[in-house]
Amino acid sequence: MKSILRIKIIFILLAALCATSVAEQSLAMKSLEYLNAARLMHSNDMEFIRQSSAAVTDVGGITFDQTARPASGLNIQSVVLHYHQDDHDGERLEITLNNQKLASPIYDWMLLPVAEYVASDYYSIFSLFGHALDENVDDAFYTAKTEEQVEKSDWIVNYHPQLENTLLGLRHFQMDMLILYDFNTDLPKEDGEYILGPGEKAPILLNNQAGYVAFDNHMTDIINDLGVIHRSYVISDYTRDIQFFVRNDSLILTETPYFFCWQYEYDRSDYDADAAIDSIMQALDDAWDSASQQNAGLDYRDWLIDQILEALHEYETYHDFYEIYWVLDAIQIPTDAGRRSYLEQYTTNSLYADGLVSLLADMDAFRVDYLQGYSRRISDYPDLLRAINPCVWDAAVKTMRYAAFFRYVEEQFPHQWENFMAEINMIKPEPQLITPTIIYEKGNALIENILQSHVNQAPVLSAMPEIEFKNDETYNLSLSPYVEDSDHPDMYIQWNASVQSNTRLNKKSSLVFNAVYAPLPSKSCGSMRNRDAESKDESGYIRNRLIQKKLHQVTTHDEEDLFIMIDNKTKEAVFSCTPGFTTASPVRVLFTATDAGGLSDTTSMTVTVTQATDIHEDLGSDRSPRQFMLRQNYPNPFNPGTAIEYMLSKSGQVNIKVFNNHGKMVRHLLDMRQSAGNYRIFWEGCNDLGTKVASGIYTYSLKIQYQDGTCENLSRKMILMR
């Protein structure tokens, strides 16, 4: 009963002082949800978000979470998405609705991050608050901020993991501040040249600056007419009815982003802090009278502490952004019992006036008010917004629209969506760059010193094992146990490998491939640079957009024989070779680990490839095999297809499946009852729909269920290289 009463008191206090409508409160809470999503967007993949409470700050972010719907009269029976890597950029996405192929021009630098964004667990794209990956920088920055050594407008920025270090992430960086600063009329440059994606044109500054002036005049009219000004905003597609339809064999998507502007309660011109405190004190007196009448033995001091504990729970949930004073120090104590003990040291008067009343007054003053009319008058003029910077606006609009359409496909046609994601698996968008991590006023030497004060320590590699495998197998090596880095999590370590040039190979040469580029956090403020130069093979074909990027080649022979594929997402190296290859002597391989700050360490290991037993020797034999066996696929690596051979020691129901590197099944090769014997099955490198899958590391599994209900499972990895 006491708990219910305490909760009721708090909500009565807040509701009594709330002047907004139910609809406005609902939208304000939605903004809170978006801000919370922005704060937590890296919580699983990036462990540098140390606070988990829903927080509103003086800044906002961008988030898109709506699902598109077919326009009225459009009955969708089927949707097929295909990615054609060999087509021209901008034409690689093929959308088929009801067996009608549609044009849908979107370039890889937008398409790939948006698809990965939709496939993730996070809705937030960008936010202007958060923590730096480097804890030393983070602690130094927020200490300086608390001590007011840096401007309140200086913030560490966060990106969705799939947009970090992408051109699309950089465009959203500017989109979030589009209406705030006139520098957004221009675009970032590298060595004096604009950083542009395919399909973009260099900005016409005079036009953009005129667009900024026109919008600024529009904002002035809004402020004068309504008598309010926003504290911040969240850019979102919430309340937008995103639809799609077909026109002239093209997919058309509707709607533009919406600016949800808000302010604190105390920002209102009619806010009266003294009147708010008087109302709180009166409500508390009434609540005590009611509680003491129901329980004559209730102690007033105990009751006050109970109210403070409930208020602290409310504060933790919605209001973790105020100045710290003694009552809020109790939040650092994890249990209510510990908090109660801490509060017991204060006098009853302090608990009442400096504790409960002050806390409730602040919670009311910092309540978020959604500015409905204000937001509508900004958002309903997309042409004015676009005129500030067409490149930035168009990138945000396409992100919102295609994200909504992809969610429709994901929800209504999940199998097709999985196939599409398998096709783009591990392909990285170009150009690659380093996105800025801190926003600060130009010339702020203190922040520069903070960023440079921590000396980055290079990763340290330990000795790696000598490995040996047969030339009909692959060998998988986990790399994480062999590196230590005090500055950066393992996920930010980039691994490369190369074969020493003086190594003697028995027949041919060696290629090393890097399968995945994990995003690198920037330690510089606002610096942009290309992370990788393009490399070409002998035919001049640019390969750095493929998942197998050629890094090193030992040109001892004309053909390639020993392969090392590194997946920087799973931190795994897969060794394989072409059929018949063996090493005359152990091959020395150099492994290099590079951290986010650019420092690296190198170690070596030896690899021996031996001749396998003739893989055909048991085929066609009259004898039943004595063991359950799954052989390495042949050839491996392969393109376009490969053979998989296996042996069954007794009969049973046999299942053979192929999985991509994310663990999703792409092909169900076999499901039938087979008797004991030797078998071969062929995989042509396609999914269940007959679509070619992307290059990468795949796992094939063999499962047999015997008549008595017991099962056996075997699996191996193989490499598809298109």
Side-chain angles (χ1 to χ4, degrees), residues 151 187 535 571:
E151 298 295 327
L187 294 176
S535 59
K571 308 305 176 188

Side-chain angles (χ1 to χ4, degrees), residues 251-271:
L251 178 71
I252 308 299
L253 292 156
T254 66
E255 292 293 355
T256 54
Y258 199 92
F259 285 71
F260 287 90
C261 303
W262 57 272
Q263 65 178 7
Y264 290 132
E265 180 70 14
Y266 78 82
D267 289 326
R268 299 170 66 96
S269 58
D270 59 350
Y271 181 74

Side-chain angles (χ1 to χ4, degrees), residues 306-525:
D306 287 342
Q307 309 315 306
I308 293 176
L309 292 177
E310 289 297 330
L312 288 175
H313 288 307
E314 176 78 6
Y315 172 92
E316 287 180 295
T317 304
Y318 298 111
H319 305 279
D320 187 14
F321 56 91
Y322 310 138
E323 293 184 5
I324 299 298
Y325 52 98
W326 67 264
V327 70
L328 292 181
D329 288 342
I331 287 180
Q332 308 302 321
I333 303 172
T335 65
D336 277 354
R339 292 178 180 182
R340 181 179 296 276
S341 178
Y342 167 81
L343 295 172
E344 287 285 0
Q345 65 181 303
Y346 293 95
T347 65
T348 302
N349 286 337
S350 292
L351 290 172
Y352 174 76
D354 300 330
L356 184 57
V357 172
S358 295
L359 180 57
L360 292 176
D362 276 352
M363 290 169 65
D364 174 70
F366 285 90
R367 184 158 37 86
V368 172
D369 287 328
Y370 167 58
L371 305 176
Q372 188 172 20
Y374 188 100
S375 301
R376 184 177 60 253
R377 289 184 59 174
I378 290 177
S379 306
D380 285 354
Y381 291 86
D383 291 341
L384 278 177
L385 290 161
R386 185 179 188 274
I388 300 173
N389 195 320
C391 285
V392 171
W393 177 257
D394 290 348
V397 171
K398 278 210 167 184
T399 298
M400 184 194 80
R401 291 176 177 177
Y402 275 89
F405 176 72
F406 286 158
R407 286 197 187 94
Y408 171 81
V409 178
E410 182 184 34
E411 293 172 8
Q412 301 299 322
F413 303 92
H415 188 63
Q416 294 292 341
W417 175 252
E418 290 181 5
N419 291 335
F420 173 66
M421 292 305 297
E423 290 178 352
I424 66 172
N425 179 32
M426 297 188 295
I427 301 176
K428 302 300 289 185
E430 299 292 340
Q432 295 180 2
L433 46 85
I434 300 297
T435 44
T437 58
I438 291 185
I439 296 174
Y440 63 100
E441 293 184 1
K442 186 177 180 181
N444 192 326
L446 179 61
I447 294 182
E448 292 282 4
N449 292 336
I450 289 173
L451 294 173
Q452 298 172 9
S453 62
H454 176 60
V455 179
N456 182 32
Q457 302 295 320
V460 177
L461 294 182
S462 56
M464 302 184 76
E466 298 179 359
I467 68 170
E468 179 178 324
F469 65 97
K470 298 183 184 298
N471 58 11
D472 67 339
E473 300 176 339
T474 59
Y475 187 93
N476 305 321
L477 178 67
S478 176
L479 300 174
S480 297
Y482 304 104
V483 62
E484 291 186 7
D485 193 323
S486 59
D487 303 299
H488 304 97
D490 178 58
M491 65 177 295
Y492 284 107
I493 299 296
Q494 290 281 300
W495 285 88
N496 290 316
S498 62
V499 178
Q500 282 192 315
S501 58
N502 60 354
T503 299
R504 290 181 60 237
L505 300 179
N506 221 18
K507 287 187 178 179
K508 304 169 186 176
S509 67
S510 129
L511 276 180
V512 179
F513 297 99
N514 191 21
V516 174
Y517 283 102
L520 293 176
S522 169
K523 287 177 68 65
S524 61
C525 291

Side-chain angles (χ1 to χ4, degrees), residues 164-341:
E164 191 168 32
N165 299 320
T166 68
L167 180 59
L168 188 60
L170 185 59
R171 293 291 179 260
H172 283 286
F173 174 96
Q174 288 191 258
M175 178 64 187
D176 193 67
M177 296 172 286
L178 188 66
I179 66 175
L180 298 180
Y181 305 111
D182 59 3
F183 73 77
N184 287 297
T185 58
D186 204 358
L187 294 176
K189 296 180 179 180
E190 174 70 17
D191 297 329
E193 299 291 332
Y194 282 113
I195 304 174
L196 298 174
E200 288 191 308
K201 295 181 180 180
I204 302 175
L205 288 181
L206 288 178
N207 292 350
N208 292 3
Q209 289 164 357
Y212 184 84
V213 171
F215 184 83
D216 190 54
N217 291 334
H218 177 63
M219 282 291 299
T220 300
D221 291 341
I222 296 174
I223 294 168
N224 291 336
D225 290 347
L226 301 181
V228 297
I229 186 170
H230 68 275
R231 175 171 288 270
S232 189
Y233 51 79
V234 176
I235 301 173
S236 176
D237 55 1
Y238 181 59
T239 73
R240 290 309 210 194
D241 182 17
I242 304 173
Q243 301 182 36
F244 62 90
F245 57 91
V246 178
R247 178 191 296 161
N248 298 328
D249 293 330
S250 296
L251 178 71
I252 308 299
L253 292 156
T254 66
E255 292 293 355
T256 54
Y258 199 92
F259 285 71
F260 287 90
C261 303
W262 57 272
Q263 65 178 7
Y264 290 132
E265 180 70 14
Y266 78 82
D267 289 326
R268 299 170 66 96
S269 58
D270 59 350
Y271 181 74
D272 188 335
D274 291 336
I277 291 175
D278 289 342
S279 297
I280 289 172
M281 295 173 67
Q282 183 60 55
L284 285 174
D285 289 344
D286 293 344
W288 164 249
D289 290 342
S290 175
S292 59
Q293 289 175 9
Q294 295 181 35
N295 183 359
L298 183 62
D299 181 76
Y300 179 66
R301 180 182 174 84
D302 290 341
W303 180 84
L304 279 178
I305 292 178
D306 287 342
Q307 309 315 306
I308 293 176
L309 292 177
E310 289 297 330
L312 288 175
H313 288 307
E314 176 78 6
Y315 172 92
E316 287 180 295
T317 304
Y318 298 111
H319 305 279
D320 187 14
F321 56 91
Y322 310 138
E323 293 184 5
I324 299 298
Y325 52 98
W326 67 264
V327 70
L328 292 181
D329 288 342
I331 287 180
Q332 308 302 321
I333 303 172
T335 65
D336 277 354
R339 292 178 180 182
R340 181 179 296 276
S341 178

Side-chain angles (χ1 to χ4, degrees), residues 562-594:
L562 177 64
F563 297 88
I564 307 169
M565 176 174 279
I566 298 175
D567 187 333
N568 268 308
K569 189 174 290 185
T570 62
K571 308 305 176 188
E572 183 179 57
V574 180
F575 297 79
S576 62
C577 64
T578 52
F581 169 75
T582 60
T583 53
S585 60
V587 174
R588 184 165 296 278
V589 178
L590 300 180
F591 275 87
T592 301
T594 304

